[in-house]
Amino acid sequence: MSVSQTVAAPVDATASAAENTLLKPRFYRTDYAAMDRLDVRPLRREWQQLLDEFRADGNRNHFERDQEFIDFLISSVTAEFSGCFLYAEIKRNVGNPELKELMGFMARDESRHAGFINKSLKDYGLGVDLGALTRRKKATYFSPKAIYYATYLSEKIGYARYISIYRQLQRHPEKRFHPIFRWFERWCNDEFRHGEAFALIMRLNPHLLRGGNRLWIRFFLLAVFATMYVRDHMRPELHQAFGFDPTDYDMQVLHITSEITKQVFPFTLDLEHPKFRAGLDRLARLAAAADVASRRGGVVGRVKCAALWAVVGAQFLRMYLLPTVPNTPPQDVRLAPAW
C-alpha cells in the first residue's frame, strides 16, 4: 500500500501497519538469552531508583485532565448521543421520505460525534455505555414545534461554542491540552449544518415564526442562552484552561448565536441591555447557591434549594419581559459557517 492510498477500513489500516519500509515503524526480535544474562549489581542503586520512578508513575496525570474536563466530555457525549437518539427516532417513526433521509444523515453525524468523544473517555477508562444510556435515560416529550426551536438553537449554539474554542486554540496552541480539540472545526460544521436543517423546516412552516409563537421563540432563546451561561459559570476552570474568561467566552458565544438566528427568527434578544447581562450573572449566582443547598441535603437544604429555584424562576421571568431587537430575516435562509 502506497502512502497516497486512503485507509478506509480496518483491513487497510492493518495492511498499512504491516508494511516494512524505511519510514515505517518496525517490530523487532533479539537474542533473549543474551539479555537474560544482564547483571544489574554494579548499578543496583541507580537501577532501583529508576524502577522506583517507574512504579511511582509520575506522568500518570500528564495525560489526564481534572474533573472539569471529564464532565465536559461526559456532557458532550450525552448531548451528541441525545441528538442521535432523537433523529433516529424521528427517522424510524416518519414516512416522509425527505424527512426520513435528512434525519438519517443527522443521526449518522451525531452517532459519529458521540463515538468520537466516547473514545476519549475510554482513554481514561470512563467510556459511557451508550446502549445502556438509551435504556436508562428517560426521554422527555416535546411537541414538534418545541423540537424545532430547541434543537435549532442547540445545534447553532453548539457550533458557536466549538468554533470559539477552536479559534482560541489556533491562536494559543499551547492551551490545546487534548488532541480532540484539533477536530472541533469539522465537528462544529456538522452542528451548523444540522441547525440549517431546522431553519429550513421552520421556514417551511412560517406560522411557527409569527403570532403567539413569537412568545415561544423568546422563551427558548432565553432558556438556551441562560442554561449555557449558568452551566459554564458552575465549571469555570475548563474555560480558564483554554485561556478564556468564562464570562467573555459565553458572551462571545451568545453574540455569534444571536447573529446566526437572524436567518430565521423575527427578533433577537437584546444582549447589550444592562439588565440582561446583570440577570445572567444573578441566575448563575442563584443556581450555584441552590446547588450548595441541594448538596447539603436534609429538610433545611431542600427548603432552601426550593426557595432559591423560585427566585431563579422570578429572575427568568424578569429577563423574559425585557425588550427584544426586531429583525427581518433574509429571503435566502441558508448561511455558511463563517465565524
Side-chain angles (χ1 to χ4, degrees), residues 255-271:
H255 277 96
I256 293 174
T257 308
S258 190
E259 188 66 25
I260 291 171
T261 65
K262 290 179 180 179
Q263 73 179 138
V264 67
F265 287 157
F267 58 83
T268 62
L269 300 183
D270 187 356
L271 303 183

Side-chain angles (χ1 to χ4, degrees), residues 59-303:
N59 264 352
R60 64 185 180 279
N61 293 323
H62 181 74
F63 301 100
E64 300 178 9
R65 301 319 301 184
D66 58 18
Q67 189 60 41
E68 298 290 335
F69 181 56
I70 298 301
D71 289 346
F72 168 77
L73 290 177
I74 293 173
S75 174
S76 296
V77 75
T78 305
E80 298 295 335
F81 195 67
S82 170
C84 174
F85 177 85
L86 171 65
Y87 301 147
E89 283 294 293
I90 294 173
K91 178 186 177 184
R92 187 169 65 87
N93 287 283
V94 300
N96 182 313
E98 288 83 8
L99 193 58
K100 187 182 284 287
E101 183 179 29
L102 171 68
M103 293 299 159
F105 287 141
M106 295 201 295
R108 173 205 65 193
D109 292 345
E110 300 287 19
S111 176
R112 183 182 297 149
H113 298 167
F116 190 71
I117 301 167
N118 213 25
K119 287 179 181 177
S120 294
L121 278 168
K122 287 177 180 178
D123 289 343
Y124 304 114
L126 297 171
V128 175
D129 185 337
L130 299 177
L133 187 64
T134 303
R135 296 188 297 271
R136 294 169 56 185
K137 195 171 180 69
K138 185 179 178 180
T140 300
Y141 175 81
F142 263 20
S143 68
K145 174 171 64 178
I147 290 291
Y148 300 155
Y149 298 145
T151 311
Y152 168 74
L153 287 167
S154 175
E155 298 285 9
K156 291 302 190 182
I157 206 169
Y159 164 80
R161 288 173 65 79
Y162 297 145
I163 199 62
S164 295
I165 292 172
Y166 182 80
R167 299 298 182 212
Q168 171 74 353
L169 298 182
Q170 275 188 316
R171 294 187 293 268
H172 300 282
E174 74 279 4
K175 302 288 187 182
R176 189 186 293 118
F177 56 76
H178 193 282
I180 195 172
F181 300 117
R182 296 183 184 275
W183 306 102
F184 265 31
E185 184 177 33
R186 296 181 185 180
W187 180 1
C188 73
N189 285 343
D190 282 347
E191 305 290 311
F192 193 95
R193 192 176 301 108
H194 294 177
E196 292 294 282
F198 288 100
L200 287 173
I201 288 172
M202 287 189 282
R203 278 291 187 93
L204 290 169
N205 293 273
H207 67 281
L208 296 175
L209 304 171
R210 58 180 182 238
N213 284 323
R214 292 168 60 98
L215 300 176
W216 283 111
I217 293 171
R218 184 187 293 207
F219 170 80
F220 279 103
L221 275 167
L222 182 56
V224 170
F225 284 15
T227 299
M228 184 203 75
Y229 193 92
V230 168
R231 284 180 177 171
D232 284 353
H233 282 72
M234 292 179 74
R235 59 178 191 196
E237 293 84 357
L238 178 65
H239 296 93
Q240 290 166 354
F242 295 138
F244 280 125
D245 173 84
T247 298
D248 292 343
Y249 166 76
D250 279 354
M251 295 310 298
Q252 175 180 322
V253 168
L254 295 187
H255 277 96
I256 293 174
T257 308
S258 190
E259 188 66 25
I260 291 171
T261 65
K262 290 179 180 179
Q263 73 179 138
V264 67
F265 287 157
F267 58 83
T268 62
L269 300 183
D270 187 356
L271 303 183
E272 301 305 322
H273 196 293
K275 290 185 178 179
F276 183 83
R277 173 71 172 270
L280 288 177
D281 289 335
R282 187 160 188 250
L283 285 176
R285 291 194 301 271
L286 289 167
D291 183 61
V292 171
S294 176
R295 293 175 186 274
R296 177 180 177 181
V299 175
V300 174
R302 288 195 296 271
V303 170

Side-chain angles (χ1 to χ4, degrees), residues 292-327:
V292 171
S294 176
R295 293 175 186 274
R296 177 180 177 181
V299 175
V300 174
R302 288 195 296 271
V303 170
K304 187 173 182 180
C305 183
L308 285 165
W309 281 114
V311 179
V312 167
Q315 177 61 47
F316 185 92
L317 179 59
R318 283 193 288 271
M319 297 175 69
Y320 181 83
L321 296 175
L322 291 174
T324 57
V325 180
N327 174 60

